[in-house]
């Protein structure tokens, strides 16, 4: 498990430190403050490779660089490896344009799965991506990881090995089709994953194989059963459904291949699984957002029953945070919030106490999102602020005109719902203020 991360002169702040929890870690913050960047650094810490190093087709995952090239830059971390807790520190070498440190393989952090915000995935498997080193020579060197662009998740991943293209993953379309034809156990597992990731009342179910494209396309395409059809080809699924399908597929594919590799090597399956997920709510309807976090934890634990599970997720969604309230445990879970310190022109990361707020609306006004209201429009917030200023003006003894009060009341009527809670306060005050203004 990843226990600690420290960045000096890297990213949006001179220094960032995170003491991570053992089970669930949630990361919030405005756009551009470094949530995705932190996940990329965590992937590097666990695997010693940047996603972009292994697949240039990705839209992100580039190697980190010093913020100020004239100052030393450091990436340090601590992780619970296979047999012990280890600490590692790497310094950036400007001439090498690389992070320098102890050579060789990464320590074994277990199975690592990184779901990128754009639909790509990265997977590091201790049975398939781990190698031995003797002196300066790699013995039985293997691939340093599997990094998929969004297209390769669906169509398959090929890599260059010893001058030849080798298919290391068939992709969702071909694997699902072959599982439906040949492997009933995989179909059962896949069906269970899809059901677990679906919200109540909207369960995704596998349908029959179809031929939805050109008469010259001989591929069998999996389908889904929906409320309006028995066989919707997965190629035509919505962005949200495709996100769920990709999550289910990559979880099952990595689990399958890890167990197959362990059997061939005569080794036991890993005792640790770490999942990094960027924008966990990406493309998902609020009904799906409300259940996806708990579902991911549950199915990861079900797939890897004997392993410790750590989930690190970045989110913009108040529903994700609200959905964590029933099971959030400060002993094994943590919430980190990134904020802009405009005075010092830097970003600060703070481990905040996780307080139950009850609704997504109340989470909007929390430090996670810093909104002035529980989801009102900007125009409504401005109208309320103007009305509040008038009330303050009255308390301070300032004169108010009937015209100013009527204008404020009209703007509130135009922008607020009839059942908005502000009316309880304003209606009585408005009548009193009007009487005072006319007397």
């Amino acid at each position: 498990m990843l226990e600690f991360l420290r960045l000096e002169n890297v990213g949006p702040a001179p220094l960032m430190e995170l003491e991570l929890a053992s089970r669930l870690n949630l990361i919030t913050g405005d756009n551009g403050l470094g949530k995705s960047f932190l996940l990329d650094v965590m992937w590097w810490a666990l695997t010693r490779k940047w996603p972009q190093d292994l697949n240039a087709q990705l839209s992100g995952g580039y190697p980190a660089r010093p913020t100020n090239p004239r100052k030393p830059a450091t990436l340090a971390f601590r992780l619970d490896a296979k047999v012990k807790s280890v600490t590692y520190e790497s310094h950036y070498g400007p001439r090498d344009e690389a992070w320098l440190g102890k050579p060789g393989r990464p320590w074994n952090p277990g199975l690592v799965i990184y779901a990128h915000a754009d639909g790509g995935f990265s997977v590091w498997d201790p049975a398939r991506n781990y190698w031995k080193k003797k002196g300066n020579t790699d013995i039985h060197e293997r691939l340093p990881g599997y990094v998929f662009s969004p297209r390769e998740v669906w169509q398959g991943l090929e890599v260059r090995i010893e001058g030849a293209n080798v298919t290391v993953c068939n992709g969702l379309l071909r694997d699902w089709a072959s599982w439906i034809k040949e492997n009933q156990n995989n179909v059962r597992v896949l069906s269970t994953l899809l059901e677990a990731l679906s919200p109540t009342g909207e369960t995704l179910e596998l349908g029959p194989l179809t031929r939805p494209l050109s008469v010259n396309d001989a591929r069998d395409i999996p389908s889904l059963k929906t409320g309006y059809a028995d066989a919707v080809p997965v190629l035509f699924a919505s962005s949200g459904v495709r996100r769920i399908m990709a999550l289910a597929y990559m979880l099952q594919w990595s689990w399958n291949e890890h167990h197959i590799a362990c059997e061939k090597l005569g080794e036991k399956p890993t005792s640790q699984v770490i999942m990094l997920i960027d924008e966990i709510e990406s493309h998902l309807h609020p009904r799906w957002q409300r259940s996806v976090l708990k579902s991911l934890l549950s199915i990861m634990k079900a797939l890897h029953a004997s392993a410790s599970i750590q989930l690190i997720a970045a989110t913009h969604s108040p529903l994700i945070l609200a959905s964590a309230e029933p099971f959030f445990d400060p002993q094994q879970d943590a919430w980190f919030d990134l904020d802009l310190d405009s005075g010092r022109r830097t970003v600060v990361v703070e481990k905040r106490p996780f307080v139950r707020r009850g609704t997504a609306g109340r989470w909007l006004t929390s430090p996670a999102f810093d909104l002035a209201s529980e989801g009102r429009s900007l125009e409504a917030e401005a109208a309320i602020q103007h009305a509040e200023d008038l009330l303050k003006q009255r308390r301070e003894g300032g004169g108010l005109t009937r015209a100013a009060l009527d204008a404020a009341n009209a703007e509130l009527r135009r922008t607020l719902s009839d059942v908005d809670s502000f009316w309880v306060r304003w209606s009585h005050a408005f009548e009193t203020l009007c009487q005072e203004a006319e007397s």
Side-chain angles (χ1 to χ4, degrees):
M1 300 298 158
L2 188 59
E3 300 175 334
F4 175 76
L5 186 68
R6 185 179 80 249
L7 295 76
E8 294 184 61
N9 189 29
V10 186
L15 175 66
M16 298 181 80
E17 291 186 339
L18 292 87
E19 193 77 42
L20 294 151
S22 60
R23 184 182 67 161
L24 172 64
N25 295 271
L26 296 170
I27 304 174
T28 60
D30 203 349
N31 289 330
L33 298 188
K35 298 185 300 300
S36 300
F37 172 74
L38 281 175
L39 293 179
D40 287 343
V41 173
M42 291 176 189
W43 167 265
W44 174 86
L46 294 164
T47 70
R48 299 281 295 282
K49 294 291 183 180
W50 300 97
Q52 188 70 211
D53 289 340
L54 303 183
N55 193 332
Q57 295 185 50
L58 293 186
S59 59
Y62 288 90
R65 293 289 186 267
T67 305
N68 185 341
R70 294 181 176 83
K71 294 182 178 180
T74 303
L75 294 176
F77 61 90
R78 184 177 70 250
L79 61 84
D80 182 12
K82 190 173 183 180
V83 294
K84 63 180 181 178
S85 181
V86 295
T87 301
Y88 183 87
E89 187 171 288
S90 179
H91 301 275
Y92 188 77
R95 288 284 182 179
D96 298 281
E97 293 189 317
W99 292 95
L100 307 177
K102 182 181 177 181
R105 65 182 188 268
W107 288 285
N108 186 345
L111 183 64
V112 186
I113 305 166
Y114 182 6
H116 302 274
D118 65 357
F121 279 81
S122 299
V123 176
W124 193 90
D125 185 338
R128 294 179 290 157
N129 305 128
Y130 203 69
W131 67 89
K132 296 180 180 180
K133 197 171 188 71
K134 184 176 182 180
N136 293 321
T137 304
D138 290 330
I139 308 298
H140 306 302
E141 184 171 1
R142 300 174 187 157
L143 292 174
Y146 305 100
V147 178
F148 300 74
S149 68
R151 183 180 185 278
E152 288 165 337
V153 172
W154 289 72
Q155 303 291 345
L157 177 64
E158 284 190 356
V159 298
R160 196 78 173 168
I161 300 178
E162 297 181 354
N165 289 334
V166 177
T167 299
V168 295
C169 175
N170 293 318
L172 185 154
L173 295 177
R174 279 181 286 181
D175 270 342
W176 278 25
S178 67
W179 294 344
I180 291 170
K181 292 176 182 177
E182 303 167 7
N183 194 319
Q184 291 303 309
N185 181 62
N186 273 336
V187 171
R188 283 193 294 271
V189 173
L190 181 58
S191 297
T192 300
L193 293 179
L194 290 174
E195 180 179 0
L197 287 170
S198 305
T200 302
E202 295 185 47
T203 303
L204 291 177
E205 293 184 57
L206 286 174
L209 296 177
T210 62
R211 293 281 184 92
L213 303 179
S214 165
V215 293
N216 294 317
D217 190 337
R219 292 180 301 167
D220 290 319
I221 303 297
S223 70
L224 294 173
K225 296 179 182 179
T226 71
Y228 57 85
D230 290 331
V232 176
V234 296
L235 292 174
F236 303 144
S238 69
S239 297
V241 172
R242 288 169 68 91
R243 172 74 160 178
I244 292 298
M245 288 192 294
L247 280 170
Y249 171 64
M250 292 308 302
L251 286 168
Q252 185 171 4
W253 177 81
S254 59
W255 179 81
N256 278 349
E257 296 302 320
H258 175 68
H259 279 258
I260 291 171
C262 287
E263 288 180 5
K264 289 183 176 180
L265 296 171
E267 298 177 355
K268 292 182 179 180
T270 184
S271 61
Q272 297 186 146
V273 180
I274 302 173
M275 184 167 191
L276 313 172
I277 181 165
D278 197 4
E279 295 188 21
I280 187 172
E281 73 281 1
S282 181
H283 301 302
L284 298 183
H285 185 276
R287 283 172 55 85
W288 298 63
Q289 292 182 29
R290 196 166 55 177
S291 61
V292 67
L293 183 62
K294 185 177 181 180
S295 296
L296 274 175
L297 280 171
S298 298
I299 63 179
M300 288 172 66
K301 190 61 183 174
L303 281 173
H304 305 275
S306 60
S308 300
I309 305 296
Q310 185 181 42
L311 175 61
I312 305 172
T315 182
H316 292 118
S317 170
L319 271 173
I320 294 294
L321 293 168
S323 74
E325 290 186 357
F327 60 86
F328 192 96
D329 178 2
Q331 299 301 314
Q332 54 183 340
D333 304 326
W335 165 35
F336 299 93
D337 188 39
L338 300 173
D339 276 314
L340 176 65
D341 185 337
S342 54
R344 293 188 297 161
R345 298 188 65 189
T346 189
V347 172
V348 293
V349 58
E350 184 176 352
K351 185 177 182 179
R352 297 190 183 276
F354 190 91
V355 179
R356 293 180 182 177
R357 301 174 190 274
T359 68
R362 288 174 182 161
W363 273 103
L364 286 174
T365 60
S366 74
F369 304 102
D370 300 309
L371 296 189
S373 69
E374 297 178 9
R376 294 186 182 100
S377 68
L378 292 174
E379 292 81 1
E381 286 187 6
I384 289 176
Q385 184 60 56
H386 180 55
E388 293 277 14
D389 291 342
L390 293 180
L391 296 177
K392 180 180 178 182
Q393 185 178 338
R394 181 224 185 182
R395 291 193 298 270
E396 294 175 349
L400 294 175
T401 66
R402 179 62 188 263
L405 291 169
D406 285 341
N409 190 62
E411 187 64 9
L412 290 170
R413 291 291 178 193
R414 187 182 74 83
T415 59
L416 265 63
S417 160
D418 291 340
V419 296
D420 194 286
S421 59
F422 185 71
W423 289 119
V424 176
R425 183 180 179 197
W426 174 254
S427 297
H428 176 70
F430 175 65
E431 292 181 7
T432 302
L433 290 172
C434 287
Q435 292 173 3
E436 293 176 355
E438 292 173 349
S439 63

